[in-house]
Amino acid sequence: MRIALIHYTAPPVVGGVEKVMAEQAVLLASNGHQVTVLAGLGEPFHPGVRLRLIPLLDSRHPRILECKQDLDRGIVPPAFSAIEEEIYRSLLPEFKDQDAVILHNVASLHKNLPLTSALHRCCLERTSLRFILWHHDLAWVSPGYRSELHPGLPWDLLRQPWLGARQVVVSELRRQELASLVGIEPSSIQVIPSGLDLPAFLRLEGRTPGLYTDLRLPKSTPIFLAPVRVTRRKNLEQALGIIAALRQHFPDASLVVTGPPGAHNPNNNSYLAELQHLRSSLDLESSVHFLAEHAPRGLSDAEVAGWFRLADALLLCSREEGFGIPILEAALTRLPIFCTELPSLRALAGEDASYFSPDDDPVMVAGKIASRLGTDLLYRRRAEVLSRYSWQAIYDRQLLPLLMEVI
């Protein structure tokens, strides 16, 4: 699809709406759409997103600010029509090849009413072009803006339904406010929250973000991390058994083993083959991931650190350890720790880990893990955010269906 997004400004201008619009634009481009951002001020921020600057879209353009001084006092200045016409003529060629236009806040705030009026005109005249009004803020319900809003046009454009346009808000509160303001049914307004760019926020580097997506781990919870090489003393067969049993409690549980086979024993390759066979026999192909299958030479320290930030818990089933650096790394990234009761590991984790024997029944260990995670408020909140508020999850569940519906 060919999609345009509009706001007064774009990055590097700092602002919540600018950030959301830019992340949404990159998301759409990464999912195969042709994306154009229209703004009054900004700089190119992604190679897959075309930025088109039209200076009069900027809410702080001198002509817009001069016009706004009169508008805030309830006066429509003579220059209003000329500015609106100029913006309208600038927008027409940009809309010629678009399928949909997403208006971020410009249909609900009075920061540039000539732009709002020009866009409303385009919405009425270009009926083949789908307009989506994406509301983060509503001027008419904000006490701080009351003195700057007046009955009649163009201010009423901010509290009227636009014929043929879809209404989107970022929260349930905004849905109720908009429904009351505009006089439409709440059910006709779609709530699509703002999201998080997980790779950027969690500072995922190298191959980590690509593997996270390609292995469909955004749909997994909880994610258990075994940041170890594939060697027999790591007792990874018990880890696979635990994941198999955990699926009775968490159907989407997964395990990520970050390391390749140990370099100093050629038998480690055959051990990996045994584990792959066990994975298949336990029907865990989509749940247990040996990153050695994708990065045979292993990951960098920075890439592994990203997995600590993505994971929900540390799982170490080792039969022996001289120290236990993953225990320290898990502590720094606030991961719950589930590990075998070895003196070296207990010396590091103390009473703050959940312990089991390397020979314990995986079903019993899984029950212990499920019991702890079931009462872990931090895990529950984190799982909710990862499953509902990553941009890709929002795209898959809400944004793409909306686009398919309106286009």
Side-chain angles (χ1 to χ4, degrees):
M1 301 177 191
R2 298 162 298 180
I3 303 168
L5 297 90
I6 298 180
H7 187 54
Y8 309 120
T9 53
V13 176
V14 176
V17 177
E18 284 82 358
K19 183 175 186 291
V20 168
M21 180 185 67
E23 290 177 347
Q24 192 178 88
V26 173
L27 172 76
L28 290 167
S30 67
N31 281 278
H33 302 285
Q34 297 179 34
V35 182
T36 299
V37 166
L38 302 173
L41 185 67
E43 297 175 6
F45 55 86
H46 189 273
V49 176
R50 173 178 175 260
L51 176 64
R52 174 76 170 93
L53 296 179
I54 302 174
L56 280 174
L57 272 59
D58 183 4
S59 63
R60 300 192 62 81
H61 188 283
R63 292 171 64 192
I64 298 300
L65 287 175
E66 184 178 0
C67 184
K68 188 175 184 297
Q69 287 182 344
D70 287 333
L71 288 167
D72 287 350
R73 293 185 290 118
I75 300 170
V76 180
F80 183 93
S81 294
I83 297 173
E84 182 214 34
E85 180 69 17
E86 191 172 337
I87 294 173
Y88 173 78
R89 294 296 174 188
S90 298
L91 291 173
L92 285 181
E94 301 300 331
F95 289 166
K96 182 179 179 182
D97 296 321
Q98 302 297 332
D99 296 311
V101 181
I102 300 176
L103 313 183
H104 280 279
N105 254 10
V106 296
S108 49
L109 288 186
H110 61 305
K111 302 297 184 180
N112 187 337
L113 283 171
L115 169 61
T116 303
S117 183
L119 286 167
H120 181 255
R121 183 176 166 189
C122 291
C123 181
L124 293 178
E125 294 178 356
R126 296 185 63 82
T127 56
S128 62
L129 180 61
R130 301 299 179 229
F131 281 76
I132 300 172
L133 314 187
W134 204 289
H135 307 291
H136 304 258
D137 306 289
L138 303 172
W140 275 103
V141 304
S142 175
Y145 292 143
R146 290 288 170 78
S147 65
E148 300 173 2
L149 301 170
H150 308 276
L153 296 175
W155 304 275
D156 282 352
L157 293 175
L158 307 176
R159 59 178 179 179
Q160 293 177 351
W162 292 19
L163 185 65
R166 289 295 297 268
Q167 306 276 358
V168 174
V169 292
V170 295
S171 67
E172 184 60 37
L173 170 65
R174 286 287 186 256
R175 171 151 68 179
Q176 297 304 322
E177 290 173 335
L178 182 64
S180 177
L181 176 68
V182 178
I184 58 179
E185 288 295 323
S187 58
S188 69
I189 304 168
Q190 186 163 352
V191 177
I192 301 181
S194 299
L196 290 174
D197 180 348
L198 292 183
F201 184 79
L202 296 178
R203 297 184 180 276
L204 306 182
E205 297 187 19
R207 292 160 289 185
T208 297
L211 287 170
Y212 178 70
T213 300
D214 293 344
L215 298 176
R216 302 184 64 80
L217 285 165
K219 299 181 182 297
S220 296
T221 182
I223 297 173
F224 291 88
L225 183 66
V228 299
R229 285 184 174 271
V230 179
T231 63
R232 290 192 183 275
R233 69 184 180 90
K234 300 301 182 180
N235 193 28
L236 288 167
E237 58 271 23
Q238 185 186 41
L240 268 65
I242 291 170
I243 297 300
L246 269 171
R247 294 176 72 185
Q248 300 300 314
H249 307 275
F250 302 104
D252 297 318
S254 62
L255 172 69
V256 174
V257 181
T258 62
H264 307 298
N265 186 340
N267 292 327
N268 288 328
N269 288 318
S270 62
Y271 180 51
L272 175 59
E274 292 174 24
L275 292 171
Q276 291 168 324
H277 178 74
L278 177 61
R279 177 179 62 181
S280 178
S281 67
L282 293 174
D283 192 24
L284 294 175
E285 287 93 341
S286 61
S287 302
V288 171
H289 306 284
F290 298 104
L291 298 190
E293 296 172 326
H294 310 276
R297 299 181 64 181
L299 304 179
S300 69
D301 289 345
E303 289 170 325
V304 174
W307 285 104
F308 274 89
R309 294 190 289 273
L310 284 167
D312 296 297
L314 180 74
L315 181 60
L316 290 181
C317 298
S318 303
R319 291 189 174 277
E320 59 175 284
E321 289 289 350
F323 188 66
I325 287 177
I327 299 293
L328 306 181
E329 295 168 326
L332 287 179
T333 49
R334 303 181 182 182
L335 292 185
I337 298 169
F338 302 98
C339 65
T340 46
E341 191 159 10
L342 303 179
S344 57
L345 301 185
R346 181 172 277 279
L348 295 173
E351 298 303 314
D352 299 325
S354 296
Y355 297 100
F356 53 91
S357 165
D359 296 310
D360 277 344
D361 180 1
V363 174
M364 184 274 290
V365 178
K368 180 183 292 189
I369 292 173
S371 178
R372 176 172 171 184
L373 288 184
T375 59
D376 189 319
L377 299 181
L378 182 60
Y379 159 70
R380 283 159 50 187
R381 175 78 344 234
R382 175 185 170 84
E384 172 83 358
V385 170
L386 288 173
S387 65
R388 291 189 58 189
Y389 295 103
S390 73
W391 270 122
Q392 190 59 48
I394 290 170
Y395 175 83
D396 292 337
R397 295 178 182 176
Q398 294 170 281
L399 183 50
L400 179 60
L402 171 65
L403 292 172
M404 296 295 290
E405 182 180 336
V406 301
I407 297 176

